[in-house]
Amino acid sequence: MQASDLLKIAKTYGDPVYVYDSEKIISQYQRLTNAFKGVKKLQLNYAAKALSNISILRLMNSLGSGLDTVSIQEVELGLLAGFKPESIIFTPNGVSLEEIEKAAALGVRINIDNLSVLEQFGGKHPNVPVCIRINPHVMAGGNSNISVGHIDSKFGISIHQIPHLLRIVELTKMNINGIHMHTGSDILDIDVFLYASEILFETAKNFKNLDFIDFGSGFKVPYKEGDIETNIEELGKKLSSKFNSFCKEYGKELTLAFEPGKFLVSESGFFLAKVNVVKQTTSTVFASIDSGFNHLIRPMLYGSSHKIINISNPKGRERYYSVVGYICETDTFASNRRINEISEGDILAFHNAGAYCFTMASNYNSRFRPPEVLWHKGEAILIRERETFDDLIKNQVDVKDLFSKKETKKEKATV
Ligand SMILES: *Cc1c(COP(=O)(O)O)cnc(C)c1O
């Protein structure tokens, strides 16, 4: 999609606004599918938490994707979006036994990531097949907040606990149908990933009735020109070949599963915001936008660097700007970034705004969350309306009687 399309959307729907290009989502889905065409049974389960708008979920469903969910609400959202229960997998961390039982009762596949719940669940429901999340203790790059395979991680069952795990399975007579790992976001080094996969294969040999092996996700996508990204095609070739040999040895054609979030939706998304003020200080030129970390928190939370384009003046001469928000705390999207000359009222487009952007938005400072627009076949389709004041107060209980002068007098009178 063109910058002029984005400008038109900002004009029609106001700003700030999120825009998603369906064509990019579809091409990323196909790219990943093609990279693993050497595997007979491939299943992609889109990680709903990256971007969970119901219309995006419907698009994923139409592509043949399954759904990876981390809360019972995401499970329910997936069912509402038309996913069959069996194409949803529930992969939570540290949730209650009750929440897992609820998901199992809805017929979705269950992934358990600790021995305590495994033992309890297996004891009560030995006939419900369960996938187990393994921690291979491999650190596959990225920001320390998002690498979840290492030794101190809270995610998964340690490979060093396999003997205990096997004891639980034997005693409860439960059925393990899948082995899973998710080493965290931003896989830069394919060899590290392949190394972790070997550990997974070794673990898998302990279980006789597997249907699938799930390699999680964490594919890195480029954030700017020349950025490193996971070489999906190379990973596809190498992992497919390892997987096929494993299946031969195991004696059964298993399904190879992934749960990509960022890879499928990150680059499809744009966040559009207007510049309210251009402020020159003694050291810096600030461009203050009509938004803040209430709408896009990744730069502050993870230090992620989103490319920013001035779509109102794409040919203007480049100058250095610090792009900041309106929140009454340090709220910096970019420091001293070269951007085409900015005037007040210009619209800036933040790239890579598809994954973990809207889904992390909040009402901080009592602001409305922005609308979402899907760009599909050359048409802009509103898929979420901007919030209104009613949304802000909808669930608040106003106890005005408690503090009214009248009430105080009445109480006094009864004493
Ligand atoms: C968040 C998450 C994913 C998706 O990770 P991306 O880096 O967005 O691809 C996959 N699996 C699990 C279990 C997750 O928690």
Side-chain angles (χ1 to χ4, degrees), residues 40-54:
K40 279 218 180 69
K41 295 185 189 171
L42 177 75
Q43 178 65 51
L44 303 185
N45 298 315
Y46 167 59
K49 75 177 186 291
L51 175 58
S52 54
N53 186 295
I54 189 162

Side-chain angles (χ1 to χ4, degrees), residues 47 49-50 68 70 91 133 180 182 185 216-219 259-263 356:
K49 75 177 186 291
D68 180 67
V70 293
T91 309
R133 179 171 184 171
H180 168 271
H182 173 63
S185 276
S217 177
F219 307 121
E259 312 154 345
K262 202 190 267 182
F263 182 82
Y356 307 105

Side-chain angles (χ1 to χ4, degrees), residues 18-182:
Y18 277 101
V19 183
Y20 313 115
D21 180 1
S22 66
E23 202 178 305
K24 184 66 188 175
I25 296 175
I26 295 165
S27 70
Q28 287 293 94
Y29 187 89
Q30 286 166 347
R31 193 177 150 208
L32 196 50
T33 311
N34 278 337
F36 286 88
K37 60 178 183 288
V39 168
K40 279 218 180 69
K41 295 185 189 171
L42 177 75
Q43 178 65 51
L44 303 185
N45 298 315
Y46 167 59
K49 75 177 186 291
L51 175 58
S52 54
N53 186 295
I54 189 162
S55 297
I56 299 293
L57 301 188
R58 285 199 189 275
L59 167 62
M60 295 297 180
N61 193 10
S62 79
L63 296 174
S65 178
L67 198 66
D68 180 67
T69 56
V70 293
S71 70
I72 190 71
Q73 289 81 7
E74 280 188 358
V75 170
E76 286 168 354
L77 207 52
L79 292 171
L80 194 63
F83 284 92
K84 293 201 185 79
E86 58 271 23
S87 60
I88 298 178
I89 182 157
F90 186 44
T91 309
N93 170 252
V95 305
S96 67
L97 175 66
E98 289 72 30
E99 189 169 334
I100 292 176
E101 286 177 319
K102 233 186 210 172
L106 291 171
V108 312
R109 280 177 291 143
I110 302 298
N111 191 336
I112 292 182
D113 95 325
N114 64 84
L115 293 178
S116 168
V117 167
L118 187 75
E119 186 173 334
Q120 295 175 70
F121 189 88
K124 285 173 84 175
H125 315 280
N127 296 324
V128 178
V130 164
C131 170
I132 44 175
R133 179 171 184 171
I134 298 296
N135 184 342
H137 299 308
V138 171
M139 184 144 157
N143 182 299
S144 61
N145 288 346
I146 43 181
S147 297
V148 295
H150 55 90
I151 192 90
D152 293 328
S153 165
K154 66 167 185 161
F155 297 98
I157 298 168
S158 165
I159 39 160
H160 305 304
Q161 292 177 309
I162 297 293
H164 189 180
L165 193 160
L166 291 174
R167 177 69 50 81
I168 290 171
V169 170
E170 187 190 305
L171 292 175
T172 57
K173 299 193 169 53
M174 65 194 303
N175 175 19
I176 302 300
N177 67 346
I179 303 281
H180 168 271
M181 74 166 185
H182 173 63

